[in-house]
Amino acid sequence: MTCDIFCRVVDNFGDVGVTWRLARQLGNEFKITTRLFVDDLVSLAALVPALDPLQASQIVEGVEVRCWPSDDSNEITDTTFEPADCVVEAFQCALPLKYINAMTLRLAAPVWLNLDYLSAESWVAEHHLLPSPHPQLALRKYFFFPGFEQGTGGLLRERDLLRKRDAALPTKPRQRTNQLRVLIFGYANAALPDLLNAIQSASHKTVNASVTIPRGELGDDAIFWQDAKNLPPGDNLCINIEPFVAQSEFDALLWSQDVCFVRGEDSFVRAQWAAKPFVWQVYPTSDGAHLVKLNAFLDRYCTGLEVGAAAAVQELWRAWNVEDAEAIAPAWREFLVNLAALKLHARAWADRLAEQPDLATNLVTFVEKNAKIEGFTRKP
């Protein structure tokens, strides 16, 4: 089998992070010859240091990475470019017109999937794998929705991920230490100074807090806060502004923390596999639709939690997402009060998710079935 994945980098690293992770897994675990077309190789290179953003075509970790050709490019023509058996159009990025035309010339039509954004909303299972015939051409596209329940596309999870996670964690409960480790990976947030104030206030002489923030706008704001506070050496809050890590190193960073603030989609999923208490910052939209996604996941994630622990999660997540400076401090205090229960819940949640097939497995299973049963063959 062959697979072509197309991705446009809209903002940040979420889209390209998901598609790169999928491309690697299809190649490494399923031995599928995979090409990844990306319109911004610089963004991908930040996640994959081995990638040369100046090369239009290259093989990296078993994946052929190509710079996305424009519609007027001669790289894709009806006679010289063979589309793959499976075509993944990531996040409604719209395939090049020449590529679509080339798809119609294949003897057997490709299995064409629109890989959509992750959501916990109830309608996802109903729309997963629904077909959408092309209005003019003899092609059909299927909607492929990631999700948290049976009947959806599932979540990306490499076969050895949980084994690696468990091998990296202590075999015995970590001895009580004098340090709380917090990762804050997020979009710019006006409530950051108040969150840092809350973390500092909740710490004391016997329990220090170590906060790690990647370089960028959020990191710059943290440095400004630290300078304004004029924190003395040995203060009970240590802020570490770290370089942006490669995607291959991100899981280990999550595993080393006590609380993880994450954002978007890729780091959101990885925090769940890390089985750590976490806070999700949804990619903000002007119409407020991101809060609907937030609440849908909270409803699902908090099921089974004791009332106080569930309220602590909901209050901190919502305060962080709406940048409510006044609500951050009390929400953080309640989150810490319930931290032990949240650690147990995070592990139980990850274990339940792991009982379901992962996204790549679901995708390959559908493509193989669809190619044999629903696929159609043109006359030569």
Side-chain angles (χ1 to χ4, degrees):
M1 187 188 299
T2 58
C3 180
D4 285 345
I5 303 175
F6 287 82
C7 173
R8 289 191 187 277
V9 180
V10 178
D11 192 13
N12 297 289
F13 302 94
D15 294 357
V16 73
V18 170
T19 52
W20 168 251
R21 199 179 292 282
L22 174 61
R24 284 186 67 252
Q25 190 175 359
L26 292 178
N28 294 339
E29 297 183 9
F30 295 91
K31 307 307 177 186
I32 295 173
T33 302
T34 305
R35 294 181 294 204
L36 175 61
F37 293 86
V38 181
D39 68 342
D40 181 0
L41 294 182
V42 173
S43 291
L44 180 56
L47 299 175
V48 188
L51 181 81
D52 182 355
L54 300 180
Q55 286 193 35
S57 178
Q58 57 198 294
I59 304 292
V60 183
E61 299 185 37
V63 177
E64 182 179 352
V65 180
R66 291 196 178 195
C67 186
W68 181 302
S70 60
D71 283 338
D72 59 357
S73 168
N74 292 324
E75 182 178 350
I76 295 180
T77 68
D78 294 348
T79 58
T80 63
F81 195 92
E82 177 69 13
D85 303 316
C86 170
V87 179
V88 177
E89 178 184 337
F91 313 118
Q92 305 175 11
C93 62
L95 300 181
L97 296 178
K98 288 185 178 180
Y99 187 92
I100 294 177
N101 290 332
M103 290 166 63
T104 66
L105 300 180
R106 278 180 51 109
L107 184 62
V111 180
W112 182 6
L113 302 174
N114 174 59
L115 176 63
D116 219 308
Y117 290 102
L118 172 64
S119 177
E121 294 170 87
S122 58
W123 55 264
V124 167
E126 301 172 6
H127 290 78
H128 178 58
L129 299 183
L130 287 182
S132 175
H134 194 282
Q136 288 90 31
L137 304 175
L139 296 170
R140 51 163 109 54
K141 177 166 54 176
Y142 295 88
F143 294 98
F144 197 95
F145 283 93
F148 301 93
E149 60 181 323
Q150 295 287 353
T152 68
L155 304 175
L156 283 169
R157 183 184 77 246
E158 297 82 8
R159 289 174 184 167
D160 61 352
L161 174 64
L162 303 188
R163 178 188 61 78
K164 287 182 177 179
R165 178 201 66 192
D166 292 342
L169 297 177
T171 55
K172 297 180 180 180
R174 186 163 60 95
Q175 296 295 317
R176 185 176 183 87
T177 68
N178 65 341
Q179 190 173 75
L180 176 74
R181 298 163 299 184
V182 181
L183 170 69
I184 304 179
F185 176 52
Y187 309 113
N189 194 314
L192 176 66
D194 298 275
L195 174 62
L196 295 176
N197 284 333
I199 295 174
Q200 183 188 33
S201 298
S203 302
H204 47 77
K205 292 182 179 180
T206 58
V207 178
N208 298 329
S210 175
V211 176
T212 298
I213 304 179
R215 288 177 186 167
E217 190 170 358
L218 207 63
D220 292 342
D221 291 342
I223 293 174
F224 181 81
W225 175 88
Q226 189 175 33
D227 291 344
K229 297 283 286 189
N230 193 26
L231 297 180
D235 188 79
N236 57 345
L237 174 60
C238 175
I239 296 180
N240 305 296
I241 307 300
E242 300 292 343
F244 196 90
V245 301
Q247 189 185 71
S248 59
E249 302 172 14
F250 188 67
D251 289 309
L253 177 60
L254 293 172
W255 300 337
S256 68
Q257 304 298 306
D258 296 304
V259 179
C260 300
F261 284 72
V262 291
R263 73 185 197 190
E265 181 167 324
D266 186 58
S267 62
F268 170 46
V269 172
R270 306 312 280 196
Q272 293 173 69
W273 293 132
K276 298 282 186 173
F278 70 102
V279 180
W280 178 36
Q281 184 182 17
V282 194
Y283 185 81
T285 58
S286 58
D287 60 358
H290 63 296
L291 298 179
V292 175
K293 295 182 67 172
L294 179 76
N295 290 329
F297 181 77
L298 279 172
D299 288 343
R300 189 178 299 272
Y301 183 72
C302 291
T303 300
L305 263 176
E306 186 272 329
V307 174
V313 171
Q314 294 164 354
E315 290 168 8
L316 182 57
W317 285 36
R318 287 168 179 155
W320 184 240
N321 275 274
V322 301
E323 305 182 38
D324 188 341
E326 294 183 0
I328 281 289
W332 176 251
R333 287 194 295 269
E334 286 303 308
F335 196 86
L336 291 184
V337 167
N338 291 276
L339 192 59
L342 295 179
K343 288 180 179 179
L344 295 175
H345 179 71
R347 181 58 188 246
W349 172 261
D351 290 344
R352 285 198 298 271
L353 290 180
E355 294 173 357
Q356 303 175 25
D358 65 277
L359 188 147
T361 296
N362 284 330
L363 187 150
V364 172
T365 300
F366 175 75
V367 170
E368 290 177 340
K369 176 182 177 181
N370 189 76
K372 294 177 180 177
I373 299 177
E374 298 186 50
F376 55 93
T377 301
R378 299 181 181 81
K379 295 180 181 180

